[in-house]
Amino acid sequence: MISEILRVRTPLVSFHVLRDDAGLLLLDAGFVGGVGFLRRALVRRGWENEPIRGILLTHGHLDHTLNVARLAREHGAWIAAPRADAERYLGRGSSRGWGRIGGMLEAIGRPVLGFRPFVPDRLIDDGDEIETGCGLRAVSLPGHTEGHTGYYCEALRLLFCGDLFASFGRWSHFPPAILNADPGKMAASVRKALSLDLAGVLPNHADDAEPSEHLRRLRVLADRLTPG
């Protein structure tokens, strides 16, 4: 089943494609150039004729949502996304503290990059099940945004962890303060993720290491967190 997961790499952020008998499911939709990177990745894997049936979001930041409306329209795909980020899909939303800087940058970027607002067909809450070949369960991991959510595949013991952290070898790190809507919730979300039975994690900002290595890096970062 692991061969049925495809990572689409772009210069700034990656996203994932899951394939089952019903077609393809996108986990996030990438940033600038993401549609072209997706098309080429599908051709390389031989999936170019598979229908894209759905788009499942980890959160509402622009680098994950820029292409959602376009891809949903072109492929007739449904959209499912965390409920607590609903304002962000409409091009709104707010952050606290230093996170306001990131919010202002997004506000500038949306019209410049051609962001199209959208309304998800389904709003996701913690614990919701998403029907796929490997089965996914929503795991609410707030802090980066209000609704930031990971998706856990119990059969593979893998967590698609969105932007819980960035995994780049010795430069692995948690998201900078200017990108976090509610930083006070980040530590609890990391501990919640690591409480799962995990063989690996799949971050959106990461190098080509195996999921097990990304998990090791996350555990190292978690050891540095302030208890509580």
Side-chain angles (χ1 to χ4, degrees):
M1 293 180 68
I2 192 67
S3 64
E4 301 304 294
I5 299 174
L6 171 64
R7 182 183 181 207
V8 180
R9 287 204 66 179
T10 76
L12 296 176
V13 61
S14 298
F15 57 104
H16 298 89
V17 185
L18 274 64
R19 178 179 179 269
D20 61 19
D21 292 340
L24 306 179
L25 173 65
L26 306 186
L27 271 75
D28 293 325
F31 196 35
V32 176
V35 173
F37 281 102
L38 171 63
R39 185 180 301 115
R40 291 188 288 274
L42 293 179
V43 169
R44 287 193 296 270
R45 183 62 68 93
W47 292 358
E48 66 271 23
N49 295 319
E50 298 278 351
I52 296 175
R53 62 185 181 90
I55 304 170
L56 179 63
L57 296 179
T58 60
H59 62 294
H61 275 165
L62 186 60
D63 59 332
H64 297 251
T65 63
L66 178 63
N67 303 306
V68 170
R70 173 182 173 181
L71 288 169
R73 181 182 68 252
E74 291 180 354
H75 297 274
W78 50 257
I79 304 167
R83 184 183 303 275
D85 276 6
E87 287 294 300
R88 296 180 182 273
Y89 316 138
L90 299 175
R92 301 194 289 264
S94 61
S95 300
R96 302 179 184 178
W98 287 103
R100 293 175 183 173
I101 298 174
M104 288 189 291
L105 293 174
E106 282 203 307
I108 295 168
R110 289 186 192 107
V112 171
L113 299 176
F115 171 78
R116 297 289 183 89
F118 58 91
V119 176
D121 301 283
R122 177 183 176 186
L123 292 173
I124 298 294
D125 296 304
D126 188 40
D128 283 356
E129 301 285 341
I130 295 90
E131 293 184 6
T132 67
C134 68
L136 294 175
R137 184 176 80 246
V139 182
S140 179
L141 302 170
H144 187 55
T145 67
E146 303 86 343
H148 185 266
T149 296
Y151 296 96
Y152 178 57
C153 175
E154 184 175 8
L156 299 176
R157 299 170 55 221
L158 290 176
L159 176 67
F160 295 89
C161 64
D163 285 3
L164 186 65
F165 79 117
S167 182
F168 294 99
R170 69 181 66 182
W171 295 281
S172 298
H173 59 274
F174 293 120
I178 65 168
L179 300 180
N180 295 327
D182 193 348
K185 296 181 178 179
M186 293 289 293
S189 291
V190 170
R191 289 191 289 269
K192 182 177 180 179
L194 290 176
S195 72
L196 299 169
D197 177 22
L198 292 173
V201 296
L202 294 133
N204 285 76
H205 298 273
D207 58 24
D208 288 329
E210 292 295 317
S212 57
E213 172 61 14
H214 293 312
L215 176 58
R216 186 195 67 80
R217 295 172 186 172
L218 178 58
R219 286 175 170 151
V220 169
L221 289 176
D223 287 340
R224 303 171 188 167
L225 290 172
T226 302

